[in-house]
Amino acid sequence: MLEKTNEIAIKDLWEELRLFTAARIALGRTGVSLPLSESLKFKLAHAHAQDAVYSDMDVNAIETALDGLGITHVMVESGATDRTTYLQRPDFGRKLSANSTALLQNKRSIQKDICIVIADGLSAFAVNENAVKVTSLFMESLSSKGFTFTPVVLAKQARVAIADEIAHHLNARLSVILIGERPGLSAYDSLGAYMTYMPQPGYTDEKRNCISNIRDLGLPPDVAAEKLRDLVVRSLQLKLSGVNLKDDDRPLLL
Amino acid sequence: MSYKFTIGHYVYEFENLRVLLAKASPLRSGDVLAGLAAASAEERIAAQIALADVPLVNFLNEDFVPYESDEITRLIIDGQDQQSFAAIKHFTVGALRDWLLSDEASAAAIESISKGLTAEMVSAVSKLMRNQDLILAAKKLEVVTRFRNTIGLKGHLSVRLQPNHPLDDLRGIAAGVIDGLMYGAGDAVIGINPATDNPHKIAEIIHMLDRLRLQFDMPVQSCVLTHVTTSIQLIEQGVPVDLVFQSIAGTEKANSSFGINLSILEEAHEAALSLNRGTVGKQVMYFESGQGSALSANSHFGVDQQTCEVRSYAVARRFDPLLINSVVGFIGPEYLFDGKQITRAALEDHFCGKLMGLPMGMDICYTNHAAADQDDMDNLLTLLGVAGINFIIGVPGADDIMLNYQSTSFHDAMYIRKILNKRPAPEFDRWLQHQGLFDANGPKPHTSARQLQELTSTILGLC
């Protein structure tokens, strides 16, 4: 690619230092400017990130996959009606729309242990890639131990906090949300998992625990599902989540 | 008291100065999110017209955040200098704008009134100024600061070398430092955002940077941007801290959410001064701020985000910093939605900081969920270069792999120096030439491979 332009640019003589960092060092220059090949590499990474922010959750594919696994599900929306509103009004993305609130209130049943929410967040791309995989591995490992689940909730234009409202309506002891993280230039497909014990609307980050960078080249989905299982079991046994649930707590026996 | 302006048959009424300033602010998503923005374009201009006629003295009688419960309000009001104010006390906000742009308002004339202005007056006047007004007025002002070199002189532009590494790996950081030095960056500060707040690790980074400076006799200062209380602790342990860093905001409650107050900053300032490490000056503080921080900490008290930002400059002014920059686009699209809003906010921050007498720099930056890209950063960089910005940020390839956002690069810094004919800080400029990295025209076309090999192996040996 771009061989002719690379002939004109001046190479930096310290390329070997890339061994020590993933930072964009020793890029070379033409005059004082960035060589075209580096300029285009950067723009491509940014293009991936931008596309991820505006990507849509592939609801059909996710629902079909959940059906295939015999997992019941329900679809809701936040108060943010479109992506532009979503980006400017995080407060709307944290709350259910009126219709969705009514829908979930009608689905309330006897108390269950865990409510899983799958939400687009800032990268629906990440959700489309790995959310079902994490969900199925996680549910499989806990259902067999007798833990109970509400239907899985798919949430559009959603922020992390929406899970607490959802789980509260569905009468679950614990909420887990799998949500697309803010894309960076190096990764635009990271999924995050957040968990709250005895969730209530209005809870903030101090009540949550988080596993981040879930993607094939980061924390792989199967490893993430195991970590999430350990975290959730500890939380349910100790009856707490957030800052008081320390990372260094030993996993408890199932 | 309330303020009014009539357009056609409609009387716009603004219940107090706080509301008037918020409604007069050029549109930005954070003020909408806070429910403070004008409801229409017409209301915004009605507010600006009403604001233009407000006498400056009104600002001395109306608190934006209550005096009794907010130490920053007390700092602003108690610190307002009546003598400096005397020359302009008959001005309205609009008259102040016209005066700042007039030929009469020389740098010296503006500096002589600066301490008479409160943060809210400064914010107010900026709301009546177009982008070119913000550039023209700021360009008049020269704010020069010193520690081991001289920053902010006309004709010079400095760069903070920001070689962050996600694991704080010393060799990873050093690789970024070498890259930056080769491109003439580092004269503002070699400043690292640590991934950890572990004091032991932070001390390691500081020691490494200090060895590097001594080995090459570099006229630069270093800083690890950790919490101010950690810096105080490190100073007590004898760690060679050059600059003390802290993020600051414009209300007592917001600062409290950062774990700081004025007396902690005072303690840090004195601790850093006690080490007496500066050679050409004693300015030892480095601050960062940014519009939206008070709102995000739910402690803005109905004050618009730009006014909160300028109030944080009153905090900075108290501690005579070497460096201060707004991290303008880092906070995200819910506060500054796109390139246009980021650009406007950055020009406001630079102008307001300079008018307050501060050595303003800027982290010209954005996140991936904002509607902005490198072209927006190029535009803003050029505008701020023209406006006389003291320093900008230099990150390898503009991509901060630790903080996950895009800033300006070493190449960007060379671009702005080249097109505006700006030089690095004089002491650093001489050092670059002495090392054979730069000549009078800028970076040398080819640094000798052997010399470079020596340089990199020496530096890696220091890690």
Side-chain angles (χ1 to χ4, degrees):
Chain A
M1 176 178 98
L2 300 168
E3 277 160 27
K4 289 285 175 211
T5 61
N6 282 340
E7 281 171 18
I8 295 169
I10 298 169
K11 283 181 91 170
D12 288 333
L13 299 172
W14 53 96
E15 284 177 357
E16 64 194 59
L17 294 178
R18 288 200 196 135
L19 199 61
F20 302 115
T21 179
R24 292 171 197 256
I25 63 168
L27 302 182
R29 62 193 175 88
T30 173
V32 298
S33 302
L34 204 57
L36 182 61
S37 56
E38 292 296 340
S39 176
L40 290 173
K41 260 189 223 167
F42 183 107
K43 282 164 88 170
L44 181 60
H46 185 235
H48 285 147
Q50 280 183 309
D51 286 347
V53 169
Y54 284 89
S55 58
D56 287 319
M57 192 151 70
D58 190 346
V59 175
N60 278 341
I62 294 173
E63 288 184 335
T64 307
L66 292 175
D67 287 340
L69 294 160
I71 298 170
T72 57
H73 51 84
V74 55
M75 172 87 206
V76 299
E77 293 163 347
S78 80
T81 45
D82 54 55
R83 190 80 326 200
T84 304
T85 310
Y86 173 83
L87 289 171
Q88 297 189 59
R89 297 303 301 257
D91 50 337
F92 292 176
R94 292 183 195 115
K95 292 200 177 91
L96 288 165
S97 70
N99 283 344
S100 293
T101 305
L103 177 75
L104 290 187
Q105 280 167 343
N106 284 333
K107 291 199 176 282
R108 189 180 175 88
S109 69
I110 56 156
Q111 192 178 56
K112 298 284 167 49
D113 293 318
I114 301 160
C115 170
I116 299 176
V117 180
I118 295 175
D120 45 10
L122 284 164
S123 173
F125 195 92
V127 175
N128 296 341
E129 289 274 287
N130 280 319
V132 171
K133 199 165 180 186
V134 176
T135 302
S136 69
L137 289 169
F138 172 73
M139 285 183 73
E140 197 181 285
S141 67
L142 286 180
S143 299
S144 59
K145 303 279 189 270
F147 289 87
T148 55
F149 289 85
T150 68
V152 167
V153 180
L154 306 186
K156 284 175 97 168
Q157 307 292 8
R159 302 257 174 187
V160 170
I162 204 168
D164 296 341
E165 188 186 355
I166 291 171
H168 179 72
H169 287 314
L170 291 181
N171 198 15
R173 293 167 67 209
L174 185 140
S175 71
V176 168
I177 183 167
L178 301 172
I179 188 166
E181 294 182 329
R182 193 181 90 194
L185 289 192
S186 43
Y188 56 94
D189 56 352
S190 281
L191 192 67
Y194 295 78
M195 178 209 80
T196 317
Y197 178 72
M198 291 307 269
Q200 298 276 339
Y203 272 9
T204 54
D205 284 344
E206 73 204 35
K207 298 277 189 191
R208 302 191 181 104
N209 298 86
C210 170
I211 295 172
S212 97
N213 195 29
I214 303 167
R215 60 192 175 103
D216 296 333
L217 297 176
L219 185 70
D222 52 338
V223 183
E226 275 175 37
K227 282 186 83 154
L228 186 61
R229 179 200 62 196
D230 291 347
L231 194 62
V232 162
V233 170
R234 282 210 307 273
S235 172
L236 287 170
Q237 291 185 339
L238 298 172
K239 300 188 191 314
L240 55 87
S241 65
V243 288
N244 294 323
L245 185 66
K246 299 292 180 205
D247 281 346
D248 53 1
D249 287 342
R250 296 271 79 82
L252 303 177
L253 292 176
L254 286 177
Chain B
M1 67 176 277
S2 80
Y3 300 87
K4 287 178 191 163
F5 188 73
T6 305
I7 295 177
H9 295 292
Y10 193 85
V11 183
Y12 285 100
E13 185 166 355
F14 309 98
E15 58 182 287
N16 54 36
L17 275 182
R18 179 177 56 74
V19 171
L20 181 63
L21 261 67
K23 302 274 188 187
S25 294
L27 176 65
R28 65 206 62 197
S29 47
D31 289 339
V32 178
L33 177 64
L36 299 170
S40 67
E42 186 179 81
E43 186 184 23
R44 178 166 297 112
I45 305 306
Q48 291 179 3
I49 296 169
L51 178 59
D53 282 338
V54 175
L56 290 183
V57 290
N58 288 26
F59 285 80
L60 300 177
N61 303 320
E62 271 192 47
D63 290 345
F64 280 62
V65 184
Y67 182 92
E68 295 71 27
S69 59
D70 188 282
E71 65 174 1
I72 296 169
T73 303
R74 296 197 288 278
L75 176 72
I76 291 169
I77 296 298
D78 299 349
Q80 192 257 350
D81 180 24
Q82 282 293 332
Q83 221 174 337
S84 312
F85 189 59
I88 52 164
K89 72 175 177 197
H90 59 288
F91 276 0
T92 58
V93 179
L96 178 60
R97 181 266 180 195
D98 283 353
W99 180 78
L100 285 168
L101 298 174
S102 71
D103 293 335
E104 209 177 296
S106 62
I110 296 173
E111 278 155 27
S112 75
I113 59 117
S114 171
K115 292 212 159 57
L117 297 171
T118 65
E120 290 84 356
M121 292 177 198
V122 170
S123 170
V125 74
S126 75
K127 293 179 193 299
L128 303 182
M129 297 167 81
R130 282 172 43 193
N131 285 3
Q132 66 164 270
D133 302 344
L134 297 170
I135 293 169
L136 192 153
K139 189 181 172 63
K140 294 184 182 193
L141 300 167
E142 185 183 46
V143 182
V144 179
T145 56
R146 295 178 179 87
F147 187 76
R148 284 198 194 95
N149 58 20
T150 309
I151 301 164
L153 292 166
K154 289 234 187 257
H156 297 261
L157 184 142
S158 296
V159 184
R160 168 183 161 194
L161 205 174
Q162 184 173 305
N164 295 339
H165 188 277
L167 301 173
D168 292 330
D169 179 78
L170 290 185
R171 289 186 301 179
I173 290 170
V177 172
I178 293 167
D179 200 56
L181 290 174
M182 293 299 176
Y183 280 91
D187 49 342
V189 62
I190 299 176
I192 289 140
N193 299 89
T196 172
D197 47 15
N198 176 324
H200 180 72
K201 186 77 206 175
I202 288 166
E204 260 184 25
I205 302 172
I206 295 174
H207 278 295
M208 186 269 281
L209 292 173
D210 203 46
R211 286 195 294 272
L212 184 70
R213 174 184 72 81
L214 291 169
Q215 175 79 31
F216 294 97
D217 199 20
M218 284 161 59
V220 298
Q221 38 280 333
S222 69
C223 183
V224 176
L225 285 73
T226 185
H227 194 265
V228 72
T229 51
T230 308
S231 294
I232 293 172
Q233 189 189 334
L234 293 171
I235 289 170
E236 282 166 358
Q237 291 165 4
V239 176
V241 173
D242 284 347
L243 304 183
V244 168
F245 168 83
Q246 184 56 46
S247 292
I248 53 172
T251 67
E252 180 176 337
K253 190 178 169 197
N255 278 328
S256 151
S257 80
F258 292 169
I260 59 160
N261 56 40
L262 293 175
S263 78
I264 292 173
L265 290 176
E266 184 72 57
E267 189 189 337
H269 188 213
E270 280 169 16
L273 282 173
S274 75
L275 296 181
N276 205 20
R277 293 174 56 78
T279 49
V280 300
K282 289 179 188 262
Q283 283 156 309
V284 292
M285 299 300 285
Y286 175 19
F287 294 118
E288 281 189 338
S289 61
Q291 292 192 25
S293 61
L295 174 58
S296 82
N298 196 24
S299 41
H300 62 294
F301 300 97
V303 177
D304 70 88
Q305 70 182 32
Q306 191 227 341
T307 302
C308 286
E309 171 71 4
V310 187
R311 284 170 57 95
S312 78
Y313 301 161
V315 175
R317 176 154 79 169
R318 170 78 182 73
F319 300 102
D320 189 23
L322 181 78
L323 306 164
I324 169 169
N325 62 267
S326 155
V327 195
V328 63
F330 186 74
I331 193 158
E334 60 267 46
Y335 302 91
L336 296 168
F337 182 66
D338 56 14
K340 182 180 170 73
Q341 292 185 8
I342 291 171
T343 300
R344 171 73 201 180
L347 292 174
E348 289 166 351
D349 294 350
H350 176 250
F351 161 78
C352 291
K354 283 275 170 81
L355 185 54
M356 302 274 286
L358 290 170
M360 286 305 291
M362 187 64 58
D363 191 346
I364 297 163
C365 63
Y366 65 104
T367 57
N368 283 321
H369 59 324
D373 60 22
Q374 293 306 111
D375 288 335
D376 295 299
M377 300 302 106
D378 290 346
N379 294 347
L380 178 53
L381 171 63
T382 308
L383 295 174
L384 285 169
V386 172
I389 190 92
N390 281 32
F391 70 97
I392 60 167
I393 306 295
V395 176
D399 173 11
D400 190 310
I401 57 167
M402 200 285 278
L403 293 172
N404 267 316
Y405 76 119
Q406 286 91 260
S407 181
T408 41
S409 68
F410 307 134
H411 293 75
D412 294 332
M414 291 207 304
Y415 148 79
I416 197 69
R417 282 174 175 165
K418 183 172 183 170
I419 61 155
L420 296 176
N421 198 23
K422 303 237 184 198
R423 302 293 306 182
E427 299 86 348
F428 188 69
D429 200 359
R430 284 195 290 276
W431 180 84
L432 286 171
Q433 295 189 44
H434 181 72
Q435 292 292 320
L437 302 176
F438 270 48
D439 61 25
N441 297 318
K444 280 195 173 176
H446 294 283
T447 314
S448 111
R450 216 190 67 206
Q451 188 201 1
L452 190 73
Q453 191 61 45
E454 274 173 31
L455 186 72
T456 54
S457 61
T458 309
I459 291 177
L460 292 173
L462 296 170
C463 292

